[in-house]
Amino acid sequence: MAVRAVRGAVQLERDEPGHMHEQVSALLTAILERNGLTPDDLISVWFTATPDLHSDFPAVAVRKLGITDVPLICAQELDIAGAMPRVVRILAHIETDLAKSDLAHVYLGAAAALRKDIAQ
């Protein structure tokens, strides 16, 4: 079993807690499903949010999924001129037998434009 990191991002339509929870939950669920993972495979999860998101912590969405024994941390993304607004990014550290090249990084909706080279 190896330790790997898998990425993902989603652009929110609006800065509201319920919408953030829905979108972040969908993103983490897609990351798990597309990589054949379960919550037990998670080691830790980093979340970043663009500076225009401040209605809630993205990690709250994961706790609402019932994932309570995985370390989570939230941080603010750099405020770069011209960057895509209202984006939550995930960097999840996992235990898996997948090779790095077999990992499915997940960029939902408009966030797919952030990493056209790896977005699934």
Side-chain angles (χ1 to χ4, degrees):
M1 191 75 60
V3 173
R4 303 276 188 232
V6 63
R7 292 286 319 268
V10 63
Q11 184 182 37
L12 306 184
E13 294 175 16
R14 58 195 174 280
D15 183 24
E16 295 175 0
H19 180 63
M20 179 183 288
H21 300 165
E22 175 186 295
Q23 295 300 304
V24 172
S25 294
L27 176 59
L28 185 62
T29 299
I31 289 171
L32 293 174
E33 288 176 355
R34 292 183 193 178
N35 287 287
L37 303 169
T38 69
D40 285 338
D41 298 317
L42 293 170
I43 296 170
S44 64
V45 183
W46 271 94
F47 299 90
T48 65
T50 51
D52 52 0
L53 294 175
H54 42 75
S55 65
D56 206 351
F57 296 99
V60 170
V62 175
R63 296 294 184 224
K64 288 184 172 205
L65 287 175
I67 300 173
T68 59
D69 61 350
V70 175
L72 309 174
I73 192 164
C74 299
Q76 189 175 77
E77 192 71 36
L78 294 173
D79 191 9
I80 304 297
M84 184 179 287
R86 300 178 317 281
V87 175
V88 174
R89 291 172 173 86
I90 289 179
L91 174 64
H93 299 96
I94 59 172
E95 291 181 313
T96 182
D97 289 324
L98 292 173
K100 288 181 189 178
S101 60
D102 292 332
L103 291 173
H105 303 281
V106 179
Y107 290 77
L108 299 179
L114 294 171
R115 290 297 306 263
K116 292 178 184 176
D117 57 327
I118 63 172
Q120 307 277 315

